[in-house]
Amino acid sequence: MPLELGNPLQLTRTMRRRLLAAVRALLADPSLTGLPDAARLAAVVLLAKSRSPKGWWDDDVASTWGAELGRWLGVTDSTVHHSVLPALRRRDALHTRVVTDERGYPTGLDCLVMPLWRARRTGGRGHPLSLTRQELAVLLRLCEVLFGPGWAPKDKEPTPPGLLASRTGKGAATDRLGLLLLVLSASPKGWLRLCPGTVDRERGRPAATVARLLGRSPSGGAKVLARLEEQGVAEVVRRERENAQGMKRKSRVRLLPVVDAHREQQQAVREARTGASPVFSHLPASAAGDLAPGETQKAEVTGAAEVEEPEIPDLPDTAELHADHAPVAEDSVCGAGSGGFSGSAVLECGGRRGGARTREDSPTVTEQPTSDGAAAAAAPGPGPLRGEKPNPLHLVNSAGQEGSSGVPGASGNDGGLAGRVPAPPDDLQVVLGPVQELWARLTRPGARAHLVRKIRGHLQVAAGVAGPDAAESVVAARLERRLCAQGGPHRVEDPVGWLLARGLPQRAECFERRCDEGVRLDTGGPCETCEVLAGDRRADREAA
């Protein structure tokens, strides 16, 4: 099954680093050091055309012939057979074998790149040259887009020539190799990361960057960069004007093909976002109501003329203007003329007004246990209207204390779930005092054990800053302060996550290691360093 690839210029940062490391490792091999750029580019092309490992000889073998390799390099067939291949063979960088047909005529050339062969047998999978099948396919597709010769096979879609396919002759291999290295060294947006250090001020940092990638002199790098600019694949953005510090801004290099690919990717993302189908589609033609799918009705409007198009274009012609709902409670007979006013639940009409649902007329009673075990109503009265329901997270439990019984495992009237959570260890009773309601919601033993280890670790850190005697009070005060800022225990959805991420960590607002949100851990007073920094910022704002 062939591997489907998108635009190879839209590479991720990981893939760019992987391919750049492989190409640079190949060019840095001792067998390729000092060879002409045509021979070095031939090794890179044969690396990309290598097959995945199957057998002893089939491992890393690339099938080609002289004329085709010359088209990849931008040189003639004679140059390949008399200069490129002999130079690689002499340095033991390439092994070749002529492929013949049944009559003995040569039909191709099998090439074995020896640096790749040695890397896979001695370096293992961690070697930069140990590329996978997918990575080799991406590298080959990238070479095709940059300087591939192009093909027009029969019964297949033609492959267009690359960007530098028309660049042939002297220096063509150097330009192609330089473009490949620049594209792999650029960011996904197309900007080239320039080399650091001292460079030739006459040539500039962009030329020095190209020279270091190719292993040439700064003058040679400047010539390659100028030729790439003439071909329209690179652009040097020169900024001669001075910045706010009175220094001239540096020049930058961007690869135009990568820039265009990034714009296409961003445009495709925007089109995908704007052209996404809505979550809720139109109602079907037979839809009559959300609770009566089997009925099919048609809306009838008395005294209205029939029109060809529906009044609401978003709905089909046979859709109801309002969904049918199953009756739950009958309307009350009392209304505006029955001793009350419209919309009210009067005493003569029961505990709910017209159109109300079930359980809205149940009185809210806070029950207190009596001596004989019966529950007595402490605050009887009419039931609440809509929007007046009490918060279930703030109920009064049997002990008369405010808890969070609406959450399973919390303190209060929780059906006995709080009794299943054991008390915290003895050495953490003081620390977990402010967050005991959160501890009561930890029903998993693993979560409690993990939290105990983390709390003890924070105690050790606090002991090293404020002393062993004040460590427990420091952490307890921190938890109480954070829980109050959160809005109470009922505002915490995940107790373990909140304690580990927000409640326990120390937050120093300055460079003082004893600062915790502007409070000194050793004294408990305000942090002097934070006050000084705040005063400095205030003075800067006043001066501005």
Side-chain angles (χ1 to χ4, degrees):
M1 180 178 180
L3 182 64
E4 296 182 0
L5 299 175
N7 192 346
L9 295 175
Q10 299 175 354
L11 298 177
T12 61
R13 296 182 182 272
T14 304
M15 182 60 72
R16 289 179 185 273
R17 290 194 296 264
R18 185 75 175 94
L19 297 182
L20 178 62
V23 174
R24 298 185 69 173
L26 177 63
L27 298 179
D29 192 83
S31 59
L32 296 177
T33 304
L35 293 181
D37 291 334
R40 301 168 67 198
L41 180 60
V44 175
V45 172
L46 294 176
L47 169 67
K49 293 172 67 68
S50 300
R51 296 192 292 266
S52 57
K54 293 181 181 179
W56 182 84
W57 174 256
D58 290 335
D59 287 358
D60 315 318
V61 173
S63 299
T64 183
W65 58 89
E68 182 193 15
L69 187 59
R71 295 175 62 197
W72 278 95
L73 306 181
V75 298
T76 60
D77 186 10
S78 177
T79 303
V80 171
H81 287 290
H82 292 85
S83 300
V84 176
L85 295 180
L88 294 174
R89 294 192 190 102
R90 285 195 301 267
R91 301 291 294 272
D92 196 24
L94 184 69
H95 290 181
T96 59
R97 182 180 64 180
V98 178
V99 181
T100 58
D101 56 7
E102 298 177 354
R103 296 179 294 177
Y105 292 101
T107 58
L109 189 67
D110 286 345
C111 301
L112 181 62
V113 181
M114 295 308 297
L116 175 61
W117 186 85
R118 288 190 290 263
R120 286 187 172 173
R121 282 153 182 79
T122 59
R125 295 184 178 181
H127 198 277
L129 285 176
S130 298
L131 299 178
T132 61
R133 175 176 175 268
Q134 289 78 9
E135 293 170 344
L136 290 175
V138 173
L139 180 59
L140 178 60
R141 184 74 179 103
L142 180 61
C143 294
E144 291 178 358
V145 173
L146 296 181
F147 50 85
W151 300 272
K154 296 181 180 179
D155 301 333
K156 293 182 180 180
E157 295 183 1
T159 301
L163 300 175
L164 295 184
S166 59
R167 173 73 173 94
T168 59
K170 184 179 179 180
T174 303
D175 296 346
R176 299 184 182 201
L177 182 59
L179 179 60
L180 176 62
L181 292 173
L182 290 178
V183 168
L184 293 178
S185 303
S187 65
K189 295 183 179 180
W191 292 102
L192 178 64
R193 183 179 180 181
L194 303 180
C195 63
T198 304
V199 298
D200 189 355
R201 305 183 65 178
E202 296 181 0
R203 305 295 181 183
R205 195 169 297 275
T209 303
V210 178
R212 293 184 183 183
L213 289 176
L214 291 173
R216 304 174 68 90
S217 62
S219 61
K223 294 178 182 179
V224 173
L225 187 58
R227 291 196 297 265
L228 293 180
E229 284 189 275
E230 294 178 358
Q231 294 292 327
V233 295
E235 179 184 8
V236 181
V237 182
R238 297 177 174 86
R239 301 178 179 178
E240 299 297 339
R241 61 188 181 91
E242 298 180 352
N243 54 14
Q245 287 75 20
M247 302 178 62
K248 291 186 177 180
R249 297 188 177 184
K250 302 177 181 179
S251 301
R252 302 180 67 185
V253 180
R254 64 177 181 178
L255 284 305
L256 300 182
V258 183
V259 174
D260 297 339
H262 178 71
R263 291 175 180 174
E264 293 178 1
Q265 185 179 17
Q266 296 298 323
Q267 181 66 21
V269 171
R270 287 192 293 267
E271 292 178 357
R273 290 178 179 176
T274 57
S277 59
V279 178
F280 300 98
S281 59
H282 296 300
L283 295 176
S286 60
D290 53 355
L291 296 179
E295 300 178 0
T296 304
Q297 300 178 357
K298 185 175 182 180
E300 298 179 359
V301 181
T302 305
E306 296 182 0
V307 293
E308 296 181 358
E309 297 181 357
E311 296 182 1
I312 303 178
D314 293 338
L315 298 178
D317 296 341
T318 58
E320 283 290 339
L321 298 181
H322 185 73
D324 296 338
H325 295 277
V328 179
E330 297 180 357
D331 295 344
S332 176
V333 296
C334 299
S338 303
F341 58 91
S342 178
S344 67
V346 294
L347 296 178
E348 294 84 359
C349 302
R352 59 170 180 261
R353 64 179 182 271
R357 296 296 179 259
T358 57
R359 296 186 302 276
E360 291 194 8
D361 55 353
S362 301
T364 302
V365 179
T366 302
E367 299 178 351
Q368 299 289 347
T370 58
S371 58
D372 55 355
L385 299 179
R386 296 180 183 176
E388 299 179 1
K389 302 182 180 65
N391 192 344
L393 298 179
H394 286 289
L395 299 180
V396 179
N397 55 20
S398 59
Q401 299 176 354
E402 188 176 290
S404 57
S405 59
V407 181
S411 61
N413 187 14
D414 54 359
L417 291 178
R420 301 178 185 177
V421 179
D426 297 337
D427 56 337
L428 301 182
Q429 292 285 346
V430 178
V431 178
L432 294 176
V435 292
Q436 56 181 351
E437 298 185 13
L438 300 182
W439 177 268
R441 292 161 57 181
L442 302 178
T443 58
R444 294 181 299 174
R448 294 194 300 270
H450 178 69
L451 191 59
V452 165
R453 291 193 298 268
K454 292 296 183 180
I455 293 175
R456 288 172 177 169
H458 285 282
L459 284 176
Q460 293 179 1
V461 175
V465 176
D469 299 335
E472 294 183 356
S473 60
V474 165
V475 179
R478 180 188 304 169
L479 291 175
E480 185 177 3
R481 184 172 63 252
R482 303 276 173 81
L483 189 60
C484 181
Q486 183 71 21
H490 63 280
R491 299 295 299 272
V492 178
E493 298 181 359
D494 183 10
V496 178
W498 185 88
L499 288 171
L500 295 179
R502 302 191 62 178
L504 291 172
Q506 178 183 354
R507 301 175 186 173
E509 297 183 356
C510 61
F511 50 83
E512 175 61 50
R513 61 186 296 265
R514 293 168 294 183
C515 175
D516 185 15
E517 293 181 332
V519 179
R520 286 284 294 267
L521 297 180
D522 51 352
T523 62
C527 180
E528 297 84 357
T529 307
C530 292
E531 294 180 352
V532 172
L533 294 178
D536 295 342
R537 290 192 295 267
R538 190 181 303 108
D540 294 340
R541 288 194 299 269
E542 293 178 356

